[in-house]
Amino acid sequence: MAFCTGCSLLCDDIEVDFEGAKVKRTLNLCRKGRGHYDSLLVDRLAPAVDGSLVDIDEALSSAAEVLEGREKILLFGWGNSTLAAQKAGIELAKKLGSVIDDPSSYSQGLITEKVLKGELPTCTFDDVRNFADVSIFWGDDPSSSHPRHLSRFSYYPRGEKRQRGYEEDREAIVIDVRKSPTAQIAADGFFKISPGGDADFIEALMAALGGKIPKVEDKKRMLNLGTKLRKAKFGAIFTGLGLAHSLGGDLDAFFSLVGKLNELTRFSVIPTLGDYNTRGFNQTLFDEAGHVNSVSFKDGVDHGPEFGIAKYLDSCDAVMVVGSDPTAVLPAPLAKKLAGMPMVAVGTHRTLTTDGADVTVPIGVAGLEVGGTALRTDGVKVEFDAVVDSDYLPDVEVIERIMEAV
Amino acid sequence: MAGKKELTVVTYRGIFQEVEEALGMYSDGYRDQSALLELDGGDAKAMGLEDEKLILLETASGRVVVTAKVSEDPHPGIAFMPASPWSSQLLSGEVGEGGLMELKRFSATVTPTEGAVTSIEEIVERIRAA
């Protein structure tokens, strides 16, 4: 069996036959996972300095030269890195006295940190499969982003206490601004809200849970939802980017709702995180520094939004990006700031970010070309081995060699 | 040519876009799955737009030409766009009151246009020209 590191579900039941690095036959891969496997032969990153190809040793020494002597370095990315590389990255940040951050600083970091602090109830996907009778997908469309979420864990499967699966034992509720593929599966369980309407929806649901008449157009439907959630034996809430962004990062109303639900019954929260090991980075940095992102090791440990990439690009003097493509994701004004920085990019494939880097260092694809460990988005640790031969270095070796050279 | 319209744009991720991204961000397939805007049928009609026609999206931060897709479901005043380098060109980078940088939602002026979809190479050039 092979693993898939195409998303943070880290599916562990993949059967695959390769001819070299070309996939000949697979079983259990989703469409996205197949793309991930097929990408072994597409647009691979090469070692380069200022756009000229070099050998890996020169790329590594040049990467160290970019970072040496800088006062305000940002180490960014890490969601597509193994746990060992993430730990090495944090050690590198300490050695350089630099800032380390990941995309959770502009996505679901607040929810993940609350989970890791034990202030937001959570559970594993295995608990969901075995016990959950209500699955809420909030601003979250796993049918597109994590395609086997519903089939392996949250809706379709039969579990220990849910032998009749989605037909009778499980209900899906989707709260979203768009009738997404997940919303189409939920059918009558789809609650369409207006953009930015999550706070009003939470207020109405809190009223319904408290037995009050909610101030919404369809009061009866909201009251029925409140009754359904009150009667749930084991509820799970899967959060997506849509929730955090609709609330503008002020998630207190959502946290209060989860608290209210847990006064009435049991509801757990699992953030649906994007990159395969986002949860791993958040956990590793939390264990080391007490925060999941935006940490400076300049003078001990310091944390705050000023150390998130959105703000720190204003003051940093060099960037190392590992396993991420912020140039493609960040708003144009920030992408332009990033493009003007001395930059090292470590990754598996050519991206907009690697194309703008002074030095590029290729690594192997985790779970396919190199082994390692990672945390699934529900926090369960998985270990995977390489399944194809490759000359690419593991990410941890690249980070350690840069650390030795600076 | 029919008039322009101010719309709220909400970004999302689609599975086919995710697949094409894995197979190369500089590919035609990734562009086709990313450089598009899903429009409400009524809004499209008011602008004289049909499926697969080109539209210019403009904000204070940037402008891109993408392909119009007319939705079957109604969502007047709201348009949906895959999150990608094309949508990123239209984002301001401002941080909201809650401390989170806005990536999911913005207002844009939508105008029917002609010519070609903005290429990813052009986007890269704009970023580097700063």
Side-chain angles (χ1 to χ4, degrees):
Chain A
M1 290 290 176
F3 277 82
C4 179
T5 52
C7 78
S8 59
L9 294 186
L10 295 171
C11 291
D12 58 359
D13 59 349
I14 310 303
E15 291 183 28
V16 59
D17 293 330
F18 284 100
E19 187 175 277
K22 184 178 173 59
V23 175
K24 294 296 289 181
R25 182 194 72 90
T26 65
L27 191 64
N28 295 334
L29 267 182
C30 69
R31 181 90 185 242
K32 182 176 174 179
R34 179 62 193 255
H36 178 62
Y37 272 53
D38 286 341
S39 76
L40 287 177
L41 294 170
V42 181
D43 270 356
R44 296 305 299 268
L45 190 62
V49 177
D50 296 327
S52 299
L53 294 179
V54 298
D55 64 34
I56 188 73
D57 293 331
E58 186 176 344
L60 286 164
S61 59
S62 297
E65 287 170 14
V66 169
L67 301 178
E68 273 178 334
R70 306 282 181 184
E71 293 293 318
K72 294 184 172 182
I73 299 168
L74 170 63
L75 306 181
F76 182 82
W78 307 104
N80 287 307
S81 304
T82 59
L83 283 172
Q86 292 168 347
K87 285 176 184 165
I90 292 168
E91 290 306 312
L92 178 60
K94 286 180 184 174
K95 184 173 183 180
L96 294 168
S98 72
V99 166
I100 191 163
D101 187 35
D102 82 325
S104 74
S105 66
Y106 52 77
S107 54
Q108 297 206 70
L110 287 172
I111 293 174
T112 305
E113 188 159 309
K114 203 85 170 168
V115 166
L116 297 185
K117 284 180 174 173
E119 296 172 356
L120 204 56
T122 192
C123 65
T124 67
F125 280 134
D126 306 282
D127 294 331
V128 171
R129 184 181 58 241
N130 286 323
F131 307 116
D133 54 348
V134 174
S135 291
I136 299 177
F137 303 90
W138 200 318
D140 188 24
D141 176 24
S143 296
S144 297
S145 61
H146 298 65
R148 297 182 70 201
H149 194 293
L150 278 75
S151 61
R152 289 186 68 205
F153 305 116
S154 57
Y155 187 51
Y156 292 114
R158 305 182 195 290
E160 187 179 321
K161 297 287 185 187
R162 298 288 167 253
Q163 283 296 307
R164 292 186 291 277
Y166 77 102
E167 294 102 325
E168 295 178 40
D169 272 353
R170 246 190 259 278
E171 188 150 6
I173 292 164
V174 174
I175 302 158
D176 210 329
V177 299
R178 174 174 165 265
K179 194 173 182 182
S180 66
T182 306
Q184 290 172 39
I185 290 168
D188 292 342
F190 174 41
F191 289 79
K192 188 175 182 179
I193 57 176
S194 59
D198 296 59
D200 290 342
F201 189 87
I202 289 171
E203 186 181 339
L205 187 51
M206 288 287 268
L209 289 169
K212 298 173 186 167
I213 304 296
K215 296 173 185 172
V216 290
E217 282 183 21
D218 196 339
K219 295 176 174 56
K220 186 178 175 185
R221 192 166 182 239
M222 189 59 81
L223 285 167
N224 285 342
L225 176 62
T227 302
K228 194 173 290 177
L229 300 191
R230 271 201 307 269
K231 288 183 176 175
K233 292 182 176 63
F234 190 120
I237 305 175
F238 306 103
T239 59
L241 263 183
L243 172 65
H245 278 277
S246 175
L247 295 174
D250 181 357
L251 290 155
D252 287 349
F254 174 69
F255 297 148
S256 295
L257 173 64
V258 176
K260 177 73 176 175
L261 286 167
N262 278 281
E263 289 173 11
L264 301 166
T265 181
R266 175 178 177 166
F267 265 86
S268 299
V269 176
I270 301 177
T272 307
L273 304 174
D275 295 336
Y276 85 84
N277 201 18
T278 296
R279 178 71 181 255
F281 177 75
N282 292 154
Q283 180 76 61
T284 305
L285 189 59
F286 181 80
D287 292 343
E288 189 67 42
H291 301 282
V292 299
N293 55 39
S294 310
V295 167
S296 169
F297 288 104
K298 183 80 174 172
D299 297 304
V301 174
D302 203 357
H303 165 77
E306 66 271 28
F307 301 123
I309 190 170
K311 295 284 187 191
Y312 201 61
L313 280 177
D314 286 331
S315 55
C316 69
D317 57 9
V319 180
M320 183 165 87
V321 177
V322 180
S324 188
D325 189 11
T327 306
V329 175
L330 289 173
L334 296 181
K336 289 173 181 173
K337 285 179 192 171
L338 182 62
M341 295 279 169
M343 184 172 25
V344 175
V346 178
T348 56
H349 290 80
R350 180 190 178 201
T351 64
L352 270 60
T353 299
T354 64
D355 277 2
D358 300 282
V359 178
T360 56
V361 184
I363 53 174
V365 176
L368 292 172
E369 295 168 327
V370 295
T373 53
L375 297 189
R376 212 165 61 178
T377 195
D378 61 344
V380 170
K381 190 174 185 176
V382 300
E383 185 172 354
F384 39 78
D385 297 318
V387 292
V388 294
D389 293 331
S390 162
D391 293 330
Y392 288 105
L393 295 178
D395 51 8
V396 62
E397 186 175 335
V398 164
I399 303 304
E400 286 176 347
R401 286 180 64 177
I402 291 173
M403 186 150 44
E404 286 168 11
V406 293
Chain B
M1 190 170 281
K4 59 179 67 174
K5 207 168 178 65
E6 188 85 8
L7 296 173
T8 297
V9 179
V10 178
T11 64
Y12 70 95
R13 299 285 292 185
I15 185 169
F16 298 108
Q17 181 202 19
E18 301 254 11
V19 172
E20 294 297 341
E21 181 174 339
L23 297 176
M25 295 187 72
Y26 289 85
S27 67
D28 291 349
Y30 181 64
R31 180 200 59 214
D32 293 345
Q33 293 293 336
S34 302
L36 59 89
L37 188 73
E38 293 180 17
L39 288 160
D40 170 72
D43 289 337
K45 191 175 179 183
M47 287 187 282
L49 272 169
E50 296 171 7
D51 215 32
E52 301 295 329
K53 296 293 185 184
L54 297 184
I55 45 177
L56 172 66
L57 275 163
E58 292 177 286
T59 68
S61 301
R63 60 205 318 255
V64 290
V65 175
V66 302
T67 304
K69 301 280 184 190
V70 181
S71 302
E72 292 178 7
D73 294 314
H75 45 86
I78 301 164
F80 299 111
M81 184 175 190
S84 74
W86 284 266
S87 64
S88 297
Q89 291 301 296
L90 305 168
L91 293 165
S92 69
E94 289 174 8
V95 176
E97 289 180 10
L100 201 62
M101 178 170 60
E102 183 56 73
L103 291 178
K104 287 285 292 178
R105 181 163 39 113
F106 56 88
S107 293
T109 304
V110 181
T111 313
T113 191
E114 293 175 350
V117 169
T118 304
S119 69
I120 197 158
E121 289 82 4
E122 189 177 339
I123 289 172
V124 170
E125 277 179 29
R126 287 183 201 170
I127 291 170
R128 289 188 191 166

